[in-house]
Amino acid sequence: MSSIYGPMLYLRHVELLRDAVPSFGSYPFNLPVVRTLDRLAFQKQVTFLVGENGSGKSTLLEGIAAAWGFNPEGGTLNFSFNTRASHSSLYEYLRIAKGVKRPKDGFFLRAESYYNVASYIDELDEEPGAGNRIKDSYGGSSLHEQSHGESFFSTFVHRFGGQGIYILDEPEAALSPLRQMSLLARMHELAAQNSQFIIATHSPILMSYPGAEILLLKGESITPVALEDTDHYTVTRAFMTNREKMLRELLGDEPDPL
């Protein structure tokens, strides 16, 4: 998915219409990363948004997804349910620049509202005269009949079809480390099929995807960073390589043997 000009991306950049913002003193525009946002460009097929809790990455990702046309609670472009209107108005003030090619597929996955997506699919399939079952595109069984992690992975494997834009908010939330590595392999298959990913994550495993751009949201800045320079990587590595010392510092005494 490239040309002489670089990757052929479906989403090239997103721009905040600053002159239209009603007030930078109220949510979500008072978030430091939004308050200073001008234009956020995407350079690679896989982009990670990383940062501490409260940095604004999920709010920004939600705004991008809604500006594209996805349901703020998640799902495909055809999903229009509204369980609880908790999303911000950020998307109304974002202008997105699309690439030359249009995607044939797309999905917005939010870990926190995935239950609602699964319920909506079941409701549609139970309607009289529904026709082809939507759940067949997700592995054939109700996502509620699978574990949280299994339902996530069924979506990645069965529903994501390639040539798509996939916006994922903390997809690792229900996945074991082994499943996260399997997700990396699935992402690689889909990237080879001309797909673009924008992912908010805390997972160093996912961030290790080769050739991806990692954007660190910290305070008022969004800065490209190497995996090894993220707190997610350095803290995890320090803990696992010197577990006893870290536990003593955290717990203040010698941990009891398990």
Side-chain angles (χ1 to χ4, degrees):
M1 187 180 177
S2 62
S3 71
I4 60 173
Y5 303 106
M8 292 289 291
L9 303 180
Y10 302 119
L11 177 55
R12 305 297 301 185
H13 70 254
V14 59
E15 180 180 358
L16 179 64
L17 302 176
R18 300 185 61 84
D19 292 341
V21 171
S23 171
F24 282 98
S26 59
Y27 180 82
F29 308 104
N30 61 346
L31 292 173
V33 73
V34 176
R35 190 169 61 235
T36 57
L37 179 64
D38 185 10
R39 175 182 291 188
L40 176 61
F42 299 97
Q43 311 287 344
K44 303 291 183 68
Q45 279 183 264
V46 179
T47 302
F48 294 108
L49 304 181
V50 307
E52 265 300 332
N53 295 331
S55 62
K57 58 186 183 299
S58 290
T59 299
L60 181 57
L61 194 77
E62 173 195 89
I64 293 171
W68 185 276
F70 288 108
N71 187 308
E73 291 189 52
T76 70
L77 288 169
N78 296 323
F79 282 22
S80 59
F81 67 95
N82 185 357
T83 304
R84 180 172 178 266
S86 59
H87 59 281
S88 76
S89 61
L90 178 61
Y91 74 98
E92 299 177 24
Y93 302 89
L94 293 178
R95 175 187 292 147
I96 57 176
K98 298 183 178 181
V100 176
K101 290 188 176 181
R102 298 184 62 182
K104 295 183 178 180
D105 189 29
F107 203 95
F108 176 35
L109 187 144
R110 301 191 67 176
E112 67 178 32
S113 58
Y114 191 71
Y115 179 94
N116 302 336
V117 172
S119 297
Y120 183 64
I121 292 171
D122 283 351
E123 290 172 7
L124 291 177
D125 281 346
E126 291 168 2
E127 290 182 354
N132 295 332
R133 301 187 312 171
I134 298 174
K135 64 170 65 85
D136 289 340
S137 298
Y138 294 78
S141 61
S142 169
L143 296 173
H144 283 312
E145 295 175 0
Q146 307 172 53
S147 73
H148 200 35
E150 287 175 329
S151 67
F152 268 45
F153 203 70
S154 290
T155 300
F156 302 141
V157 172
H158 299 291
R159 176 56 189 81
F160 291 13
Q163 298 185 59
I165 180 166
Y166 303 111
I167 302 176
L168 315 179
D169 189 12
E170 300 186 8
E172 75 277 8
L175 301 180
S176 69
L178 184 60
R179 280 300 198 192
Q180 291 179 46
M181 289 187 279
S182 297
L183 176 55
L184 279 179
R186 181 58 178 152
M187 286 170 53
H188 196 56
E189 292 175 352
L190 292 165
Q193 297 169 22
N194 298 339
S195 297
Q196 181 179 3
F197 288 86
I198 303 171
I199 305 173
T201 185
H202 291 289
S203 170
I205 294 176
L206 296 186
M207 291 180 217
S208 67
Y209 185 82
E213 181 167 44
I214 302 174
L215 300 177
L216 174 63
L217 280 64
K218 187 173 183 179
E220 297 182 344
S221 66
I222 302 177
T223 309
V225 64
L227 169 65
E228 293 78 9
D229 294 328
T230 64
D231 288 343
H232 309 74
Y233 177 88
T234 57
V235 170
T236 301
R237 186 174 186 274
F239 186 89
M240 298 309 298
T241 57
N242 204 345
R243 179 168 54 93
E244 291 79 8
K245 179 181 177 181
M246 293 285 283
L247 285 172
R248 285 196 297 270
E249 292 179 358
L250 289 169
L251 306 180
D253 54 16
E254 193 73 29
D256 294 330
L258 299 179

